[in-house]
Amino acid sequence: MSLMFQPLKKYADFSGRARRSEYWLFTLLIVIAEIVYFAVLGAVGGFSPNGPSGAAMAVMGIFSLAFLGVIIPSLAVSFRRLHDTDRSAWWLLISLIPGIGGLVLLVFCLLPGTNGPNKFGPDPKASPTGDTAAVFS
């Protein structure tokens, strides 16, 4: 569970490596927040045909600020996830290619990281003694 909030603790840390679990748990956190946002927005009448109410506008404002706050950690954990697969963060730009770019980036994020240290830093799965096989989670 602590890995879910790790990108928020490393707010603007674009160096190093991020495990798959750190990346995907943070993505899950963002998806859960979006579900909560739409549920609350629907509950306060944000989807009425007459336009959003004052309460709905307040909810939109609060959640907009929250989502602006997670843009930098989202980019940072994406950089570190690509570093874990021994790829430069420039690969994020492939997502700008419609259709195929997002799929390529998805595959990169699903691939396991390189074992042992790579040019971006030590293995995040390695135990303090350096034994990579000793750490499973």
Side-chain angles (χ1 to χ4, degrees), residues 36-136:
V36 168
Y37 166 69
F38 284 113
V40 170
L41 190 60
V44 297
F47 302 114
S48 69
N50 300 329
S53 64
M57 293 297 286
V59 167
M60 286 181 210
I62 291 168
F63 275 90
S64 295
L65 289 175
F67 285 119
L68 281 174
V70 297
I71 288 174
I72 292 173
S74 296
L75 281 173
V77 75
S78 297
F79 274 45
R80 293 193 316 267
R81 180 68 207 128
L82 286 169
H83 289 171
D84 192 38
T85 60
D86 208 16
R87 289 179 177 79
S88 167
W90 286 105
W91 277 101
L92 275 177
L93 295 177
I94 199 167
S95 65
L96 298 175
I97 300 172
I100 192 77
L103 290 174
V104 170
L105 195 59
L106 175 67
V107 169
F108 287 166
C109 290
L110 288 171
L111 290 173
T114 56
N115 289 327
N118 66 17
K119 63 184 175 186
F120 298 104
D123 190 349
K125 285 186 175 182
S127 68
T129 61
D131 183 15
T132 308
V135 179
F136 178 73

